[in-house]
Amino acid sequence: MDRHGWVSISDIIQNTDLTIEEINDIVATNNKNRFEMNGSHIRARQGHTIPGIEVEMEIRIPPEFLYHGTPIENVEKIKQSGLMKMSRLFVHLSGDQQTARIVGSRKRTKCEVLKINAKKMHEDGFTFHISSNGVWQVDSVPVQYILFR
Protein backbone atom coordinates (compact mmCIF):
# COMPACT_ATOMS: atom_id res chain seq x y z
CA MET A 1 0.00 0.00 0.00
CA ASP A 2 1.38 3.41 -0.88
CA ARG A 3 1.09 6.48 1.34
CA HIS A 4 -2.20 7.45 -0.32
CA GLY A 5 -3.84 4.06 0.35
CA TRP A 6 -3.56 2.63 -3.16
CA VAL A 7 -2.96 -1.12 -3.51
CA SER A 8 -2.19 -2.98 -6.72
CA ILE A 9 -5.17 -5.04 -7.85
CA SER A 10 -2.78 -7.73 -9.09
CA ASP A 11 -1.31 -7.95 -5.56
CA ILE A 12 -4.79 -8.45 -4.14
CA ILE A 13 -5.54 -11.18 -6.65
CA GLN A 14 -2.21 -12.93 -5.94
CA ASN A 15 -2.69 -12.81 -2.15
CA THR A 16 -6.41 -13.58 -1.83
CA ASP A 17 -9.02 -15.80 -3.42
CA LEU A 18 -10.58 -12.81 -5.18
CA THR A 19 -10.85 -12.47 -8.95
CA ILE A 20 -10.86 -9.21 -10.90
CA GLU A 21 -14.58 -9.76 -11.54
CA GLU A 22 -15.25 -10.06 -7.80
CA ILE A 23 -13.21 -6.95 -7.06
CA ASN A 24 -15.11 -5.00 -9.72
CA ASP A 25 -18.37 -6.27 -8.24
CA ILE A 26 -17.36 -5.19 -4.71
CA VAL A 27 -16.53 -1.71 -5.95
CA ALA A 28 -19.69 -1.42 -8.04
CA THR A 29 -22.15 -2.74 -5.47
CA ASN A 30 -20.84 -1.32 -2.19
CA ASN A 31 -23.82 0.61 -0.81
CA LYS A 32 -21.59 3.35 0.64
CA ASN A 33 -19.38 3.71 -2.44
CA ARG A 34 -16.37 3.09 -0.18
CA PHE A 35 -13.85 2.06 -2.81
CA GLU A 36 -12.35 3.63 -5.90
CA MET A 37 -10.24 2.20 -8.67
CA ASN A 38 -7.60 4.01 -10.66
CA GLY A 39 -6.52 1.78 -13.52
CA SER A 40 -4.58 -1.06 -11.90
CA HIS A 41 -5.01 0.09 -8.27
CA ILE A 42 -7.78 0.26 -5.66
CA ARG A 43 -8.24 2.03 -2.33
CA ALA A 44 -10.76 2.96 0.30
CA ARG A 45 -12.02 6.50 -0.27
CA GLN A 46 -11.83 7.44 3.42
CA GLY A 47 -11.82 5.95 6.88
CA HIS A 48 -8.35 4.46 6.93
CA THR A 49 -7.17 3.38 10.35
CA ILE A 50 -3.62 2.73 9.20
CA PRO A 51 -1.22 5.40 10.51
CA GLY A 52 0.52 7.39 7.78
CA ILE A 53 -2.13 6.91 5.09
CA GLU A 54 -2.98 10.23 3.46
CA VAL A 55 -6.05 9.89 1.28
CA GLU A 56 -6.25 13.07 -0.74
CA MET A 57 -9.45 14.88 0.11
CA GLU A 58 -10.65 18.29 -0.93
CA ILE A 59 -10.79 20.96 1.75
CA ARG A 60 -14.15 22.66 1.40
CA ILE A 61 -16.43 25.07 3.23
CA PRO A 62 -19.27 22.95 4.59
CA PRO A 63 -22.99 23.65 4.30
CA GLU A 64 -24.71 25.22 7.28
CA PHE A 65 -25.57 21.83 8.78
CA LEU A 66 -24.15 18.34 8.52
CA TYR A 67 -25.42 15.17 10.22
CA HIS A 68 -24.03 12.25 12.17
CA GLY A 69 -25.96 9.04 12.77
CA THR A 70 -25.07 7.13 15.90
CA PRO A 71 -26.56 4.26 17.90
CA ILE A 72 -28.90 5.73 20.50
CA GLU A 73 -26.86 4.32 23.40
CA ASN A 74 -23.93 6.58 22.39
CA VAL A 75 -25.87 9.83 22.75
CA GLU A 76 -25.28 10.42 26.46
CA LYS A 77 -21.52 10.00 26.07
CA ILE A 78 -21.54 12.33 23.06
CA LYS A 79 -23.39 14.93 25.16
CA GLN A 80 -20.38 14.87 27.50
CA SER A 81 -17.44 14.71 25.11
CA GLY A 82 -18.69 15.56 21.62
CA LEU A 83 -17.83 13.45 18.58
CA MET A 84 -14.35 11.97 18.56
CA LYS A 85 -12.63 10.22 15.66
CA MET A 86 -11.84 7.18 17.84
CA SER A 87 -9.78 4.76 15.68
CA ARG A 88 -10.47 6.65 12.45
CA LEU A 89 -8.52 9.54 11.01
CA PHE A 90 -11.57 11.83 11.11
CA VAL A 91 -15.15 12.08 12.35
CA HIS A 92 -17.41 11.23 9.41
CA LEU A 93 -20.44 13.41 8.71
CA SER A 94 -23.24 13.18 6.16
CA GLY A 95 -24.74 15.91 4.05
CA ASP A 96 -28.30 14.73 4.70
CA GLN A 97 -30.31 13.13 7.48
CA GLN A 98 -31.29 10.04 5.51
CA THR A 99 -27.67 9.03 4.86
CA ALA A 100 -26.77 9.72 8.50
CA ARG A 101 -29.64 7.48 9.63
CA ILE A 102 -28.40 4.63 7.39
CA VAL A 103 -24.87 5.00 8.76
CA GLY A 104 -26.08 5.20 12.35
CA SER A 105 -28.22 2.09 11.97
CA ARG A 106 -25.39 -0.07 10.63
CA LYS A 107 -25.09 -2.18 13.78
CA ARG A 108 -28.33 -1.57 15.65
CA THR A 109 -31.90 -0.81 14.79
CA LYS A 110 -32.27 2.37 16.86
CA CYS A 111 -30.16 5.37 16.08
CA GLU A 112 -30.24 9.09 16.57
CA VAL A 113 -29.29 11.61 13.92
CA LEU A 114 -27.33 14.50 15.36
CA LYS A 115 -27.42 17.86 13.64
CA ILE A 116 -24.03 19.56 13.47
CA ASN A 117 -23.65 23.33 13.12
CA ALA A 118 -20.90 22.98 10.52
CA LYS A 119 -21.08 26.61 9.42
CA LYS A 120 -20.30 27.80 12.96
CA MET A 121 -17.51 25.24 13.29
CA HIS A 122 -15.95 26.48 10.06
CA GLU A 123 -16.27 30.10 11.22
CA ASP A 124 -14.49 29.07 14.43
CA GLY A 125 -11.54 27.63 12.50
CA PHE A 126 -12.34 23.96 11.95
CA THR A 127 -11.19 22.50 8.63
CA PHE A 128 -13.60 20.26 6.74
CA HIS A 129 -12.62 17.74 4.08
CA ILE A 130 -14.88 15.96 1.65
CA SER A 131 -14.02 12.59 0.16
CA SER A 132 -14.67 11.65 -3.44
CA ASN A 133 -17.86 9.83 -2.39
CA GLY A 134 -19.30 12.83 -0.53
CA VAL A 135 -18.43 11.99 3.07
CA TRP A 136 -17.59 15.10 5.09
CA GLN A 137 -14.76 14.74 7.57
CA VAL A 138 -13.41 16.81 10.45
CA ASP A 139 -10.98 16.13 13.31
CA SER A 140 -13.65 16.34 16.02
CA VAL A 141 -17.00 17.91 16.80
CA PRO A 142 -17.08 19.57 20.23
CA VAL A 143 -20.39 19.28 22.03
CA GLN A 144 -21.28 22.99 21.65
CA TYR A 145 -21.72 22.47 17.87
CA ILE A 146 -24.13 19.53 18.20
CA LEU A 147 -27.85 20.23 18.18
CA PHE A 148 -29.51 17.45 20.15
CA ARG A 149 -33.23 16.68 19.88
Side-chain angles (χ1 to χ4, degrees):
M1 182 179 298
D2 73 12
R3 69 183 185 100
H4 298 292
W6 292 104
V7 176
S8 166
I9 293 171
S10 63
D11 286 348
I12 294 172
I13 292 170
Q14 288 176 359
N15 293 295
T16 68
D17 293 331
L18 295 172
T19 65
I20 186 64
E21 292 80 15
E22 290 169 322
I23 293 170
N24 285 331
D25 187 55
I26 290 167
V27 172
T29 61
N30 182 266
N31 66 341
K32 292 186 180 178
N33 199 17
R34 289 182 190 261
F35 307 101
E36 64 183 326
M37 294 174 71
N38 183 358
S40 62
H41 290 76
I42 186 172
R43 74 172 176 182
R45 294 179 187 268
Q46 84 280 327
H48 281 283
T49 57
I50 301 168
I53 297 297
E54 301 172 19
V55 177
E56 308 91 344
M57 290 183 288
E58 180 181 348
I59 294 175
R60 193 183 297 172
I61 296 171
E64 184 173 5
F65 297 106
L66 291 170
Y67 303 90
H68 182 83
T70 191
I72 202 156
E73 59 265 23
N74 293 345
V75 174
E76 286 306 313
K77 184 174 181 182
I78 293 169
K79 285 181 179 180
Q80 301 301 313
S81 61
L83 291 169
M84 312 298 271
K85 58 186 170 184
M86 309 304 276
S87 63
R88 294 182 172 185
L89 297 179
F90 296 100
V91 172
H92 293 186
L93 303 171
S94 302
D96 62 87
Q97 292 183 39
Q98 179 181 354
T99 301
R101 184 167 310 286
I102 291 167
V103 172
S105 299
R106 68 194 176 280
K107 295 180 182 175
R108 297 162 186 91
T109 56
K110 290 193 172 216
C111 86
E112 183 156 336
V113 174
L114 306 175
K115 189 174 185 180
I116 310 302
N117 192 337
K119 179 181 178 185
K120 179 70 173 141
M121 285 182 67
H122 173 73
E123 290 169 354
D124 289 348
F126 286 82
T127 300
F128 286 82
H129 301 85
I130 189 164
S131 65
S132 59
N133 63 340
V135 176
W136 288 89
Q137 300 180 48
V138 66
D139 284 327
S140 65
V141 180
V143 70
Q144 66 264 29
Y145 300 103
I146 303 172
L147 305 169
F148 295 94
R149 285 198 283 158

